[in-house]
Amino acid sequence: MTLERELVDIVGRDQVLTDPGLRAPYESDWTRRWSGSARAVVRPADTGQVAAVLRSCATYGAPVVTQGGNTGLVGGSVPRCTGQVVLSTARLQRLQSGDHAVVAGAGVTIGRLQVHARAIGLAYGVDLASRDTATVGGTVATDAGGIRVVRYGRTRAQVRGLEVVLADGSLLSDLERPGGADAGPDLLGLFVGSEGAFGVVTAARLRLVPRPPPGTTVLVGCPDVDAARALVPADGVRAAELMTGDGIDLVCRTTGLRRPLRRTWPVVLLLETDQVPDLPDDADAVVDARVWELRERHTEAIATLGVVHKLDVALPLHQLATFLADLPALVAPHRAVLFGHLAVGGLHVNVVGPAAGDETVDRAVLERVAALGGSIAAEHGFGIAKSGLMHLVRSREEIDLLRRVKHALDPAGQLNPGVLVP
Ligand code: FAD
Ligand code: MLT
Ligand code: ZN
């Protein structure tokens, strides 16, 4: 008996991919910066099969990387070590409504979840441009943020229960326990943000929120980031996204979209609010919800420039201007294309140009962010990209505790080796 044979017995021949051509889409990450060769890609249909697959992989000592939509941007979703098995959650598609909540299988995409919520007059609080591919399991595992964090929080704030399978095949669940019904530590909460390193999330109970009435979306040119910050109202904000004139020009060049403002501004604010926001009479602005396409097309537009070093950071709001002033010297001789989630200090610093394996710019930018009291992994996770830099933002004691938790949950180090845990 071989592992492949055992996996076929568990999930069926069609759900074990060993042919290189069939494996290929699962072996490179979205940024094309990380790729590897999988021993096999296996696609279990339900929680029981996930548990059986993990037990078999443990028996044969095969490392496992769990993969949802493979839209992750820090190298955490693809095989890297010899003999690694990709466990795809694509077939975990359960979707059951509850009271202002839904139980969703790990493989359900955020887009499908949003359609389901809309059909019952509600909404799901997390939204991101990768919604049609990113999955419930992946967004729980990375504690994904997105464009609505300012209003509803990150994925963690939506989670009301999880079902998880550990590396040894044991099952943990608090799906049926009404959220917050009893005392004691939130053990299942450990798996939010664990990036596939602690266990496989097979389902989540997620809160749904009342569907908001149409808001107002405006795009405004600003001379600098503090002028943009000053336009964000104290309340009623649904989204406040930052772009730059350069970034918008790049998006318009690659997509054919029309430049929206009268001139090119250093900073452009996209604001979605409950009420029409107060703007200066002479503001260079457009009120039109269609400007969201300009924001959502940034990632793909930047990817046309080459392999992107995506530095997903967050700064204290009062430090944004300082960081932006420092940035050109930190990324020289390359240039950065910037955009982000202004309301929460989130910035995506995209740098194209460093040679493969050259992390000089990454380190310079992330060290500066940490020195300014910011986060070096704001919403995409640490993955492979930043697990080695965690000491910039976590104490030695925290990293030691992270290692001990990892060892307690995955003593053989079988799940996503090298991801998250330095
Ligand atoms: P994958 O890429 O498959 O995996 C991501 C990580 O989670 C890996 O470490 C993987 O091992 C682990 N994992 C996946 N499924 C499970 C599971 N069931 N159990 C345990 N571990 C699991 N991210 C944001 O936060 N905000 C954004 O606004 C945003 N916008 C994006 C826009 C574009 C165009 C793209 C390409 C990406 C964007 N992302 C964004 C990044 C990405 O969509 C998120 O990180 C998302 O959470 C990944 O989900 P996924 O299902 O693709 O996970
Ligand atoms: C976004 O905000 O669109 C994402 O985080 C994707 C990215 O950073 O490219
Ligand atoms: Zn983002």
Side-chain angles (χ1 to χ4, degrees):
M1 180 61 95
T2 63
L3 173 58
E4 286 76 0
R5 178 76 239 152
E6 276 198 23
L7 294 176
V8 167
D9 290 348
I10 296 165
V11 299
R13 170 165 306 287
D14 294 348
Q15 305 307 332
V16 180
L17 311 181
T18 50
D19 171 85
L22 295 177
R23 293 185 338 235
Y26 299 84
E27 295 180 327
S28 293
D29 86 311
W30 195 92
T31 68
R32 298 165 290 160
R33 252 183 100 187
W34 290 279
S35 61
S37 170
R39 174 171 180 171
V41 175
V42 58
R43 299 184 302 198
D46 57 33
T47 305
Q49 288 189 6
V50 168
V53 164
L54 287 172
R55 277 193 294 273
S56 281
C57 290
T59 306
Y60 287 85
V64 173
V65 51
T66 306
Q67 190 178 100
N70 199 15
T71 65
L73 299 169
V74 289
S77 55
V78 292
R80 276 171 320 286
C81 27
T82 315
Q84 196 159 10
V85 168
V86 173
L87 188 159
S88 166
T89 61
R91 297 174 68 210
L92 303 180
Q93 288 294 330
R94 69 190 272 204
L95 203 48
Q96 286 152 302
S97 295
D99 176 25
H100 280 77
V102 61
V103 174
V108 171
T109 63
I110 300 307
R112 180 171 171 236
L113 178 58
Q114 289 172 341
V115 168
H116 177 85
R118 257 198 303 278
I120 52 179
L122 297 172
Y124 180 55
V126 170
D127 191 20
L128 63 185
S130 51
R131 63 183 70 80
D132 293 330
T133 321
T135 64
V136 164
T139 51
V140 167
T142 57
D143 187 16
I147 54 184
R148 301 291 177 201
V149 170
V150 63
R151 172 57 63 93
Y152 300 112
R154 304 161 59 123
T155 298
R156 187 183 306 275
Q158 323 310 320
V159 174
R160 293 291 179 273
L162 290 178
E163 178 189 78
V164 173
V165 182
L166 297 184
D168 63 3
S170 50
L171 175 68
L172 296 165
S173 174
D174 62 358
L175 284 184
E176 301 317 319
R177 195 183 310 148
D182 54 7
D186 176 14
L187 292 178
L188 275 292
L190 266 178
F191 294 88
V192 180
S194 64
E195 300 187 52
F198 289 178
V200 179
V201 173
T202 46
R205 172 187 291 279
L206 301 165
R207 75 161 177 168
L208 296 179
V209 295
R211 195 152 160 233
T216 301
T217 303
V218 61
L219 198 73
V220 197
C222 304
D224 56 44
V225 67
D226 286 336
R229 285 178 55 206
L231 293 175
V232 181
D235 51 31
V237 179
R238 301 181 182 190
E241 297 286 299
L242 176 143
M243 292 178 272
T244 65
D246 290 350
I248 288 179
D249 283 351
L250 172 65
V251 172
C252 292
R253 277 200 309 274
T254 51
T255 63
L257 288 173
R258 211 173 43 78
R259 277 170 183 65
L261 300 175
R262 289 195 301 272
R263 51 164 284 209
T264 297
W265 291 86
V267 172
V268 177
L269 171 69
L270 186 160
L271 194 56
E272 186 177 324
T273 47
D274 295 339
Q275 319 301 333
V276 180
D278 285 338
L279 296 177
D281 294 343
D282 62 349
D284 183 358
V286 288
V287 181
D288 184 341
R290 286 173 300 177
V291 297
W292 268 111
E293 186 176 2
L294 275 173
R295 165 63 184 82
E296 299 223 338
R297 309 278 301 263
H298 265 69
T299 305
E300 69 182 76
I302 296 166
T304 63
L305 301 177
V307 174
V308 189
H309 286 224
K310 300 184 77 65
L311 305 174
D312 147 50
V313 302
L315 275 297
L317 291 174
H318 69 282
Q319 296 283 28
L320 282 170
T322 304
F323 174 69
L324 292 177
D326 296 347
L327 196 55
L330 292 169
V331 302
H334 313 294
R335 293 188 58 194
V337 181
L338 270 180
F339 64 99
H341 313 287
L342 177 65
V344 292
L347 276 181
H348 295 306
V349 177
N350 295 273
V351 183
V352 179
D358 177 359
E359 308 276 319
T360 317
V361 164
D362 303 57
R363 182 176 283 274
V365 171
L366 298 178
E367 282 171 354
R368 186 68 185 128
V369 167
L372 291 169
S375 159
I376 66 166
E379 59 175 8
H380 298 163
F382 285 87
I384 275 287
K386 301 172 198 171
S387 56
L389 294 172
M390 193 179 273
H391 62 278
L392 293 177
V393 288
R394 293 283 192 282
S395 68
R396 195 167 39 78
E397 292 75 11
E398 278 182 290
I399 293 175
D400 180 46
L401 178 59
L402 176 63
R403 286 201 178 102
R404 282 188 281 150
V405 170
K406 164 74 177 178
H407 185 74
L409 292 167
D410 176 23
Q414 183 196 356
L415 299 180
N416 243 0
V419 166
L420 175 67
V421 185

